[in-house]
Amino acid sequence: MFDKLREHCGVFGIYGNPEAANLAYLGLHALQHRGQEGAGIVSSDGTTLHQHTAMGLVADCFDQRILASLPGSAAIGHVRYSTTGGNDMRNVQPFVARWSGGALAVAHNGNLVNNEQLRLQLEYQGAIFSTSSDTETIIHLVARSHAGDITARISEALQHIKGAASLLFLTERSLIGVRDPFGFRPLVLGRLQKSYVLASETCALDLIEAEFIREIEPGEMVVIDEEGVRSLRPFAPVKQLGRCIFELIYFARPDSVVFGHPVAAVRKNFGRQLARQHPVEADLVIPVPDSGTAAAIGYSEESGLPFDLGLIRSHYVGRTFIEPQHSIRHFGVKLKLSAVASTLRGKRVVVVDDSIVRGTTSRKIIKVLRAAGATEVHVRISSPPTSWPCFYGIDTPTRQELIAASHGVDEIARYLTADSLGYLSLEGMRSAAGESEGWCDACFSGSYPIDFAKPSPASVKPQNPGSPDQGA
C-alpha cells in the first residue's frame, strides 16, 4: 500500500537458555518491522534440530502449542520480507539441512550479489535446489566443503560469497554468527544471565532484558558453545566498510542502536540538517508517521517552527481489505493515514518524510492535506533522492520506477503538487550521521561497494566453488 523501500529480514539467536524458543519468539516480535511475510524458529535440544516456519506475522505463526514443540536451550529465528526468492512458503527461513555430519540451520539477512553465478556453478556440478533463495546456496557450499569441523566448513563456504550477509547458523551444539566484511547489515551480541544472544538490532535485546555486549564486527564470525564465545576472521579485509545508511534513515526501529549510533538521535540530526539546508516560511511542521517523526522533530527544533501531528496513522490495517463499490478518492492512503483538519486548516505546512521512491504515495498525501485545509504544503525529505536500486538486501524498484532517477527536484515537486520540495544532501546526510566514511549509500550516489555482473551459463562451467570430486 505504501510507497516505501522494505528491508529483507531480521534474525535472532540464543544459546544456553531453557526457554530458547520462547525468547526467540519475543526477539522476532521486536524485529517484526524488518519483515512481515513469514517467520520461523529452529531449536536444538543438543541432539536434534526442531523447526517451525509459517507465512504471516510472528504472532500469527506461533502459539504455545507450537513453541512447546521446539524444545532445547538454543534457537535461531527469522522474519522475512522477500527480495531474492518470491513470497513462497518454501523460502521462509531458517532453512535446515541434514547430512551424515549432522544438521545445520541457517538464517540470513542480506543478498548475495554473486548468487546467480554460484547457483549455476552448483547446478552444473549436480546440485538440486528446492527454493529460490540465495540462502540455500550457502547451505550447498557448506555441504560441499571437506574441511574438518562445522566451523571450518562454514569458513570455507564464506570464501565464495559476495554481498550482504549477516548470518546465524545453528547446529546441535553451537550457535554461530557471521557478518560480511563490508558490514552491510547489523548484527549485535548480548547476554541474558548465563546465555548469549545474537540479533539484528538492540531493540530485540531490550525486549527480553538482555545486556548489550557489542556489535559483531564486519568480517567477524563468533562461535558460541559450551566453552563460551570465540571470535574468528574468515574473510579477507576490505579497504572500506559499506554499512547501509538506510538502516539509520528508515529500516531500524528508533529505539535501536545500529552501527554504534542511536537511531532516533541520528534521525533528529537528519531533520536539523534538513532545516538548515531547506528553510521555508511556514506555520507548523508535521511528520508522515511513523517514518518521518524523528526527523520532523529535528526540523522543528532547528527551524523554530512548532511541531504537531497533522496526520494520524492507523496501526490496524490488515494485509487485505474490501474497497467500497463507490470509489473513494485516495482510498488506500486514507485507510492508513487520516488528516487532522483542526490542526491543518488555514496553515502553511512543512511535511517531513524519510524518502520518496515512486512518488505516488507522497502525491496522494499532499492531496489529503490540501483537502483538510492546508493552504501550502512544503515537502522535506530527510535523505537524498533515491535514484539507484539496491542489490544488498533491500526491496528496491527498478531504476526506471524510481522517480528521482529520471526527474529533477522541480519536476518531482510539480508531480507531487507540492509548493516546494527539499532533499537532504548527500554530504549533509553523512555529516548528520556522525561519520563521513564507511557507509553504503549506493541508492543515492550510484557508487556500489561491490561490483558485479550477471553471468551467462557458458561463463560459469569452468569455475568451481568446491572441489571437483565433491557431491551435491
Side-chain angles (χ1 to χ4, degrees), residues 406-453:
S406 56
H407 295 78
V409 174
D410 290 342
E411 292 176 301
I412 298 172
R414 284 195 294 272
Y415 170 75
L416 300 181
T417 70
D419 291 281
S420 71
L421 170 63
Y423 287 92
L424 185 62
S425 70
L426 197 60
E427 296 75 16
M429 176 187 67
R430 293 168 178 164
S431 173
E435 297 178 56
S436 59
E437 296 182 345
W439 301 109
C440 176
D441 51 29
C443 52
F444 308 125
S445 66
S447 178
Y448 293 95
I450 303 175
D451 294 325
F452 64 97

Side-chain angles (χ1 to χ4, degrees), residues 365-394:
I365 288 173
I366 292 172
K367 291 187 182 299
V368 168
L369 293 173
R370 292 195 190 281
T375 57
E376 295 179 15
V377 179
H378 301 275
V379 177
R380 296 294 181 266
I381 303 299
S382 61
S383 66
T386 306
S387 304
W388 299 86
C390 175
F391 301 101
Y392 307 127
I394 298 173

Side-chain angles (χ1 to χ4, degrees), residues 275-289:
R276 290 191 285 268
Q277 292 184 342
H278 296 286
V280 65
E281 290 187 8
D283 300 307
L284 74 158
V285 178
I286 68 168
V288 175

Side-chain angles (χ1 to χ4, degrees), residues 273-433:
Q273 182 68 16
L274 185 61
R276 290 191 285 268
Q277 292 184 342
H278 296 286
V280 65
E281 290 187 8
D283 300 307
L284 74 158
V285 178
I286 68 168
V288 175
D290 294 317
S291 58
T293 301
I297 293 171
Y299 192 101
S300 170
E301 291 174 350
E302 182 67 26
S303 66
L305 298 174
F307 172 91
D308 210 334
L309 298 178
L311 291 165
I312 304 300
R313 181 186 175 192
S314 170
H315 293 266
Y316 306 103
V317 179
R319 298 182 67 81
T320 60
F321 51 84
I322 300 170
E323 291 200 37
Q325 290 183 339
H326 298 289
S327 176
I328 295 177
R329 294 184 66 194
H330 317 304
F331 178 72
V333 167
K334 286 183 176 180
L335 196 70
K336 194 75 174 273
L337 294 174
S338 303
V340 184
S342 60
T343 299
L344 298 168
R345 190 175 298 115
K347 300 293 178 60
R348 299 168 298 171
V349 177
V350 178
V351 58
V352 179
D353 204 358
D354 66 279
S355 61
I356 297 176
V357 183
R358 296 178 180 88
T360 51
T361 297
S362 299
R363 178 183 169 97
K364 292 175 181 177
I365 288 173
I366 292 172
K367 291 187 182 299
V368 168
L369 293 173
R370 292 195 190 281
T375 57
E376 295 179 15
V377 179
H378 301 275
V379 177
R380 296 294 181 266
I381 303 299
S382 61
S383 66
T386 306
S387 304
W388 299 86
C390 175
F391 301 101
Y392 307 127
I394 298 173
D395 173 47
T396 313
T398 62
R399 189 154 194 257
Q400 290 74 18
E401 295 177 280
L402 296 169
I403 191 170
S406 56
H407 295 78
V409 174
D410 290 342
E411 292 176 301
I412 298 172
R414 284 195 294 272
Y415 170 75
L416 300 181
T417 70
D419 291 281
S420 71
L421 170 63
Y423 287 92
L424 185 62
S425 70
L426 197 60
E427 296 75 16
M429 176 187 67
R430 293 168 178 164
S431 173

Side-chain angles (χ1 to χ4, degrees), residues 263-278:
V263 175
V266 173
R267 290 178 185 170
K268 286 184 183 179
N269 286 343
F270 288 154
R272 293 188 185 101
Q273 182 68 16
L274 185 61
R276 290 191 285 268
Q277 292 184 342
H278 296 286

Side-chain angles (χ1 to χ4, degrees), residues 21-101:
N22 289 342
L23 291 167
Y25 166 82
L26 293 173
L28 294 183
H29 194 277
L31 298 172
Q32 185 73 86
H33 59 286
R34 299 183 72 89
Q36 295 89 45
E37 289 187 352
I41 294 174
V42 174
S43 70
S44 171
D45 61 9
T47 58
T48 304
L49 298 188
H50 306 267
Q51 178 186 29
H52 178 80
T53 58
M55 301 294 293
L57 301 176
V58 173
D60 298 325
C61 294
F62 298 94
D63 56 27
Q64 287 295 335
R65 179 187 60 82
I66 292 171
L67 291 172
S69 72
L70 299 170
S73 60
I76 62 173
H78 187 274
V79 287
R80 180 173 191 273
Y81 173 75
S82 59
T83 53
T84 62
N87 182 8
D88 188 310
M89 181 61 205
R90 293 174 300 173
N91 292 318
V92 180
Q93 298 181 35
F95 293 153
V96 177
R98 295 176 175 86
W99 65 90
S100 58

